[in-house]
Amino acid sequence: MKGYRKILIAVNGSKDTLTQGLRLAHNEKCWVTVVKVLPPYDGDLELVGIKNLDDVLNGDAGKELQEIRKVADSERSLVKTRLERGQIHEKIVEVAEDERCDLIVMGAHKKTLLERIFSPRIVERVISRAPCPVLVVGT
């Protein structure tokens, strides 16, 4: 393609996005960072009887990170994983800037009319704010 040095793959639960991003990175022989962004937590932190608050707040994120590593192993890729919390589009752009990435790979699925009207436009927001090109993979 273009000779990228660092690729950021923003995962949204789709293994297809991750797999295609890893294959591109393998072909380009470049470094890979995979980011999973959790939505911000606005609840009451005065919880009683919970030993590990991170487990409650992060939900299944640990399992997802293990799954990311498993897919990376199957593609024979070494990846750096980052788990972030905040507004999804802002965190993706922030990580791309922090890691000095040359390309962001992220997934998008076809939406119904109602989904297009009422759902957040994460891909469009990332594209408009990204410090580098964005490759959108259909999932």
Side-chain angles (χ1 to χ4, degrees):
M1 264 183 100
K2 184 182 175 194
Y4 299 111
R5 294 174 295 120
K6 285 184 144 183
I7 292 179
L8 175 67
I9 303 173
V11 294
N12 60 355
S14 168
K15 287 183 185 178
D16 194 38
T17 302
L18 178 60
T19 302
Q20 290 189 35
L22 290 173
R23 288 181 183 158
L24 173 63
H26 179 74
N27 291 340
E28 293 289 316
K29 296 176 178 42
C30 61
W31 296 97
V32 178
T33 299
V34 179
V35 64
K36 169 69 177 170
V37 181
L38 302 173
Y41 178 75
D42 297 324
D44 184 9
L45 293 177
E46 297 293 324
L47 301 173
V48 179
I50 296 174
K51 293 180 182 178
N52 190 342
L53 190 57
D54 283 340
D55 288 345
V56 173
L57 295 178
N58 294 342
D60 292 331
K63 292 178 187 174
E64 288 187 50
L65 291 178
Q66 287 177 342
E67 194 64 33
I68 289 168
R69 289 184 188 105
K70 190 183 297 183
V71 171
D73 288 345
S74 71
E75 292 292 326
R76 296 184 178 159
S77 297
L78 293 174
V79 298
K80 174 181 179 181
T81 56
R82 288 185 57 169
L83 182 61
E84 301 286 333
R85 180 174 297 281
Q87 294 298 323
I88 297 170
H89 65 282
E90 291 173 0
K91 286 296 178 177
I92 291 171
V93 170
E94 184 180 302
V95 171
E97 290 171 343
D98 185 45
E99 297 286 334
R100 298 179 183 203
C101 293
D102 302 310
L103 178 71
I104 299 171
V105 178
M106 59 188 306
H109 65 278
K110 292 183 181 180
K111 296 181 180 182
T112 66
L113 178 60
L114 285 176
E115 286 176 322
R116 283 185 285 195
I117 293 172
F118 294 110
S119 68
R121 298 188 169 131
I122 294 169
V123 173
E124 291 89 350
R125 290 178 181 170
V126 170
I127 290 171
S128 69
R129 293 172 174 85
C132 58
V134 178
L135 175 64
V136 180
V137 177
T139 59

